[in-house]
Amino acid sequence: MPTGAARWAGGTVLALGLLAGTWLLVRSAPVPVAPDATAAFLARHWQQPLPPQGPVPAGFSALEASLAPESCGQCHASQYRDWQQSLHSQTMTAGILWQMRLMPQAEANQCLNCHAPLAEQKALIAQEHGWSGAPATPPPAHVPASLGHQGLVCAACHVRQHERFGPPPREEAGVSTPASAHAIHGGFTMSKAFEDSRFCAGCHQFPADGPRTAGKLREDTWEQWRASPQAASGSTCQSCHMPDRQHKWQGVHSPEMIRRALSTTLEVKDGTARAQLTNTGAGHYFPTYMVPKIHVQLWWLQHGMESLLVESVIGWQVDVSLEKESFDTRLPPGKSLELTAPLPADRRQGRVELRVLVAPKEHYERTYEFMLAQADKLDAVTLGLVKTAHAEARASRFEALRLATPATP
């Protein structure tokens, strides 16, 4: 096998294996294909594993050659700022790093296919963990030492063999591209695939033979979208998650996205409070994965006191072994949740509140708590990462929506 600089430049970096780990809900799927140019492009662009970039082209400056997202940000400032706020920049934080310390190399590389897919990132992680096949030399100048922990970086989607790829310029929208932009790093190759939902499917759709719980694919977002009214109307993943080509990819972690997904009503009639929440905005199940949970509550407020009338949870509840389902109350597009509760006989100066509380990482919280209960079996570094991941997961909870009826006379 190649060693040293050869492995960084173009040799086989790491072998892949099938994910069999318990905790991560990941497995790379082949991009769903159809006999068209976009499918052909995606089959090449997302081949697994991604090949190393190879030697830097002659004439490239250090900035042009660099795979660091901050280097891209020198010219693509708004995209870089968006990415910094996105979950794509956080795919290699404590929540996965502790698992990397416990799982075999082949399984870890399967996770990295989506979490840090560049060959150069895998090589850095291999060096960090002392895995077999890791390069014997430090990385070349265009591969920053921090790249392995920077997550789904710009180059993962936009750079192959140092060639840049992206969507066609938006000249028709009044956004012109200066001629000088095409001279930098040899210009770029345009593809409409960047505006196609299939571009996202490799990491957001398991194959038909992928891992299941209760007979359901654990990751089925692209197929959910294909069956949605949004797909029928021509709305893509990018339409909602990259509006105006923003690189924030907001989802269930965003209060704004929660409110956009739901149409909500609240009323009091004949001594009963009624609330209805309908998935009118998400082009897939709400929520799409088993990880988040949405708590929907009706509260009665009167004379400075408040009491919980009724609560329902929207989500897919699976145990931490991923073997048993407790419930699946996710809302497919167009489906509703209705809550009703009788009110007290004395309703003077009282009102009803609807509260929507989101726990974006609820399944992970339970997983981390399971691991913390076995702290004596973990080394200090791994235990510290689990504690950090648990704290980050708990801190991600938020209130997305609160509606209130007028106070009764």
Side-chain angles (χ1 to χ4, degrees):
M1 295 179 65
T3 58
R7 187 166 286 142
W8 286 106
T12 302
V13 177
L14 294 171
L16 289 177
L18 180 65
L19 174 67
T22 301
W23 310 121
L24 270 187
L25 312 177
V26 296
R27 175 183 174 188
S28 267
V31 176
V33 296
D36 59 34
T38 292
F41 173 86
L42 290 172
R44 296 191 304 271
H45 199 74
W46 286 120
Q47 61 178 296
Q48 292 292 349
L50 295 180
Q53 299 296 330
V56 174
F60 266 36
S61 67
L63 184 64
E64 290 173 290
S66 176
L67 298 177
E70 55 268 29
S71 296
C72 303
Q74 294 297 306
C75 295
H76 304 280
S78 62
Q79 291 89 344
Y80 176 63
R81 286 194 300 270
D82 287 350
W83 173 82
Q84 286 182 300
Q85 303 172 46
S86 76
L87 292 183
H88 283 183
S89 71
Q90 301 170 37
T91 60
M92 286 297 290
T93 51
I96 188 172
L97 292 177
W98 71 268
Q99 297 175 80
M100 292 282 171
R101 296 179 59 83
L102 300 180
M103 63 175 58
Q105 179 180 355
E107 293 177 11
N109 276 297
Q110 189 70 26
C111 298
L112 292 174
N113 281 347
C114 287
H115 284 255
L118 293 177
E120 291 76 10
Q121 292 179 295
K122 293 180 178 180
L124 287 166
I125 297 296
Q127 286 187 327
E128 177 183 337
H129 289 275
W131 290 339
S132 64
T137 60
H142 68 279
V143 181
S146 60
L147 190 67
H149 284 217
Q150 288 186 294
L152 190 64
V153 295
C154 314
C157 289
H158 292 286
V159 183
R160 298 290 184 270
Q161 280 72 64
H162 293 287
E163 182 180 353
R164 269 57 175 179
F165 294 83
R170 294 179 297 169
E171 313 289 351
E172 70 285 354
V175 182
S176 61
T177 303
S180 59
H182 295 284
I184 300 171
H185 46 60
F188 73 100
T189 298
M190 294 179 286
S191 174
K192 291 184 178 180
F194 284 84
E195 301 172 312
D196 192 300
S197 290
R198 287 172 290 179
F199 193 91
C200 311
C203 286
H204 294 278
Q205 177 65 47
F206 284 172
D209 63 347
R212 295 174 180 263
T213 300
K216 305 168 190 175
L217 281 173
R218 295 176 191 162
E219 192 159 3
D220 199 32
T221 305
W222 186 76
E223 290 290 356
Q224 293 169 12
W225 166 80
R226 283 219 300 168
S228 73
Q230 284 83 353
S233 68
S235 179
T236 65
C237 304
Q238 294 87 335
S239 301
C240 290
H241 296 285
M242 296 185 69
D244 197 32
R245 295 191 177 180
Q246 295 176 16
H247 282 55
K248 296 178 182 178
W249 299 286
Q250 290 185 323
V252 73
H253 292 72
S254 163
E256 177 187 354
M257 291 294 283
I258 297 293
R259 293 190 287 268
R260 286 175 56 188
L262 297 173
S263 295
T264 308
T265 61
L266 174 65
E267 65 175 2
V268 172
K269 187 176 181 180
D270 300 329
T272 300
R274 285 185 175 84
Q276 186 177 71
L277 294 83
T278 305
N279 176 7
T280 56
H284 45 67
Y285 286 14
F286 175 84
T288 181
Y289 300 132
M290 65 174 64
V291 177
K293 302 296 181 297
I294 291 86
H295 294 258
V296 183
Q297 303 171 339
L298 286 178
W299 288 80
W300 175 246
L301 285 73
Q302 187 179 35
H303 307 311
M305 304 292 288
E306 61 179 36
S307 58
L308 179 63
L309 298 174
V310 65
E311 178 177 17
S312 185
V313 179
I314 305 174
W316 185 17
Q317 184 84 347
V318 173
D319 70 349
V320 297
S321 71
L322 307 182
E323 294 178 355
K324 296 180 181 179
E325 169 189 290
S326 299
F327 59 81
D328 187 354
T329 55
R330 293 175 293 174
L331 300 179
K335 299 301 182 181
S336 301
L337 167 71
E338 185 171 294
L339 274 72
T340 62
L343 299 179
D346 178 11
R347 296 189 290 276
R348 291 172 296 175
Q349 299 180 359
R351 70 180 191 275
V352 175
E353 278 192 355
L354 167 67
R355 302 175 186 176
V356 178
L357 311 175
V358 182
K361 300 181 179 181
E362 187 277 338
H363 179 87
Y364 293 153
E365 289 179 34
R366 286 185 286 118
T367 298
Y368 303 149
E369 288 159 8
F370 177 84
M371 295 304 299
L372 290 173
Q374 307 176 67
D376 59 321
K377 301 177 183 178
L378 302 176
D379 65 82
V381 174
T382 303
L383 179 60
L385 288 169
V386 175
K387 288 180 177 179
T388 298
H390 183 250
E392 291 173 348
R394 291 288 302 178
S396 70
R397 293 182 171 226
F398 62 92
E399 181 178 292
L401 179 67
R402 184 178 294 209
L403 296 179
T405 61
T408 56

